[in-house]
Amino acid sequence: MTQQQAVAVNASGDTSRWGREEEVSRKADVGERQPLLQRGASASSSRADQPAKQLSTRHAFAVLVSLQIGSGIFASPAQVDSNAPSPGAALLVWVLGGILSWAGASSFAELGAALPLNGGMQEYLHHVYGDTTAFLMAWIYIVGVKPSSMAIQSIVIAESIGSISSANPLAAWKLKLMAALAFVAMVAINSINTRTTMRLSESFTAFKIVTVVLIVLGGVTAVIAHTIDSNSSFSGAEDWYSKDWFHTRPTISEGHIIDWSSISTWERYGHYSAAIYAGLWAYDGWDNANVVASEIIDPGRSLPKAIKAAMAVVLSCYELVNIAYYILLPWDMMSSTNAVAVQAAKSLLGRPAGIIITLLVAISCAGSITSNVFAVGRLIVAASQRHYFPSLFYKRGLPQFGKKRRHDRVDDSPSEQPIPAVNISTNTSFIDAPIYANVLSASITLIYISTGSFRALLTFVGMAEWVFYVSTVIGLIILRRREPNLPRPYRPSLLLPIAFVVVGSLVIIRSAMFAPIQSGVLAGLLAVGTLVSKLRG
């Protein structure tokens, strides 16, 4: 019995479940999967630090839903609406984003089932393209994408609280301070152990679904109230029943009025790309169960099931919530605030409802930060295994000083006596989170919070993520031809990855031209990463 299992037994008093999970784990790890994960790491450190399989389909589902239903659905509607000519077009963008994300998630489910390795995209890119591409992905995600995403979520928490705590907008430095404090608190909570994080993730998922249900019920209430009495004060804003949902109207994007009747097709395409990116960022997170695939029990079956269920739930929630927003708010207000959910609640039931929704939105964003801290910590650990980052970041738990106690030693020797139950309240092995990795990601995120804005960070994150999403799915197509005998417990139609690659590539190309600053920053990071990769080689 390993040390982690001994801790778990002491916590739950149940050894039979661990026995069943070990049997499944041995069956799931046959072949070359484990050596591939451990390539670049010493055998002894891999054996000692490799996490136990303790995540079920339910846990993977909770991680995916918790990541996707976060700040995006409560803030991205403003960015989507400002870059779409009508509410109807904006709703179609949300459907397109959901379908495209679903196609990507299905493709990643095939890869995760065939190569159940911690690190997700990093490991797939290494397997297909080699070391440099995998290093670039780890570099961009660890120093750019994940910190930017967590900064956005923290900013939304601060803006939501600020929107009801003061009649006037709070000063920028106050919002940034609130965002930083909220983020640091979430990192601290999620630096205890995996069990704590999973329990938090499941709890946050429940809060997220409750928030979505309340907003949708608000829209339904407004429709019913208007049907009974057209002059009812609970019928929401009048735009939803007095205007054509597909009628083109001017919108405001980054302070500029867009006259959709006079702009060129090329400009229109650029705005659509920006809208799609905002929607895709709201759906972002569908790949993160793959990051911890080796910790999932029987990933060949569990991972596809979790991804399918999560994508169905999230797509439905997003479409219904956005319809509710257009019912509850005047259409010219949709693009003017990042706290859309709070404004929608206040418009229907006043300030008390706004306070309740604000708290729920803050909890939802905190849940997304929880899942992101969990995912990026494991990504840094996987990158350290391949020596992309110093080995310090591979360590889990608190720093150890002096000689270790006997029960802290991990030894798989058959002659070793079983490790006795450990008092988890006093033993540092209870803390199995990647502390050093969490400190690294937290430090970078705080820089983004202090220097970045919501919309600039949003565009950068979208472009950076989709460059590697598309590259990874192209790799899946390559593997179908190069390694046809690779075990694939889950194998979707080839049309899904092909459609994902085509649409994703078009969006990347146009968005890069439409946002030269963010694309320049991304190109610079890629250049620096390539140079660092060559130097370390």
Side-chain angles (χ1 to χ4, degrees), residues 4 44-52 394-396 410:
Q4 288 176 325
S44 60
S45 64
S46 296
R47 184 180 61 183
D49 295 331
Q50 188 64 27
Y394 179 72
K395 298 179 181 178
R396 293 171 180 259
V410 177

Side-chain angles (χ1 to χ4, degrees), residues 512-531:
M513 301 174 68
F514 195 66
I517 295 177
Q518 288 90 333
S519 59
V521 171
L522 177 58
L525 285 175
L526 287 170
V528 172
T530 302
L531 178 61

Side-chain angles (χ1 to χ4, degrees), residues 59 62-63 66 196-206 367 370-371:
H59 292 135
V63 168
S66 183
T196 300
T197 300
M198 287 297 97
R199 288 167 181 163
L200 281 172
S201 183
E202 291 179 343
S203 300
F204 283 134
T205 299
T370 291
S371 294

Side-chain angles (χ1 to χ4, degrees), residues 36 39-41 119 121-127 129-140 142-143 379-394 440 529 532-533 536-537:
L36 183 64
R39 192 181 304 150
M121 266 195 297
Q122 173 190 291
E123 298 302 317
Y124 311 148
L125 292 170
H126 186 279
H127 188 74
Y129 302 109
D131 196 63
T132 298
T133 305
F135 174 83
L136 285 176
M137 178 267 158
W139 167 263
I140 295 295
I142 292 170
V143 305
L379 178 59
I380 294 173
V381 167
S384 299
Q385 283 183 283
R386 291 204 176 276
H387 304 299
Y388 296 162
F389 283 78
S391 59
L392 170 70
F393 298 113
Y394 179 72
L440 175 63
V532 172
S533 178
R536 51 178 289 277

Side-chain angles (χ1 to χ4, degrees), residues 228-268:
I228 297 174
D229 180 5
S230 60
N231 296 318
S232 172
S233 60
F234 294 103
S235 61
E238 66 177 20
D239 288 350
W240 70 271
Y241 59 82
S242 64
K243 296 181 179 179
D244 184 351
W245 283 58
F246 286 91
H247 177 72
T248 300
R249 87 291 194 215
T251 59
I252 300 176
S253 177
E254 298 183 357
H256 302 289
I257 297 177
I258 304 172
D259 184 357
W260 291 89
S261 61
S262 62
I263 63 175
S264 66
T265 302
W266 183 246
E267 289 179 296
R268 189 181 290 258

Side-chain angles (χ1 to χ4, degrees), residues 286-418:
W286 47 262
D287 65 302
N288 277 273
N290 294 63
V291 175
V292 292
S294 73
E295 295 181 52
I296 297 175
I297 303 164
D298 192 10
R301 292 197 310 169
S302 298
L303 192 57
K305 286 171 61 178
I307 289 175
K308 287 179 181 179
M311 292 308 302
V313 169
V314 173
L315 196 158
S316 301
C317 288
Y318 280 13
E319 194 68 13
L320 291 172
V321 166
N322 276 278
I323 291 173
Y325 286 153
Y326 283 113
I327 291 173
L328 297 173
L329 288 175
W331 289 352
D332 60 0
M333 184 185 291
M334 278 288 293
S335 60
S336 63
T337 177
N338 291 327
V340 179
V342 176
Q343 295 299 329
K346 287 171 65 176
S347 70
L348 183 66
L349 297 174
R351 194 166 184 272
I355 293 174
I356 293 172
I357 292 296
T358 295
L359 293 175
L360 290 174
V361 168
I363 292 171
S364 296
C365 293
S368 293
I369 293 173
T370 291
S371 294
N372 264 314
V373 170
F374 180 77
V376 73
R378 272 63 183 178
L379 178 59
I380 294 173
V381 167
S384 299
Q385 283 183 283
R386 291 204 176 276
H387 304 299
Y388 296 162
F389 283 78
S391 59
L392 170 70
F393 298 113
Y394 179 72
K395 298 179 181 178
R396 293 171 180 259
L398 293 173
Q400 298 291 314
F401 302 101
K403 186 177 180 180
K404 293 184 179 180
R405 289 168 292 190
R406 175 177 176 83
H407 60 251
D408 282 340
R409 181 164 60 90
V410 177
D411 192 338
D412 293 331
S413 171
S415 62
E416 184 73 17
Q417 293 298 319

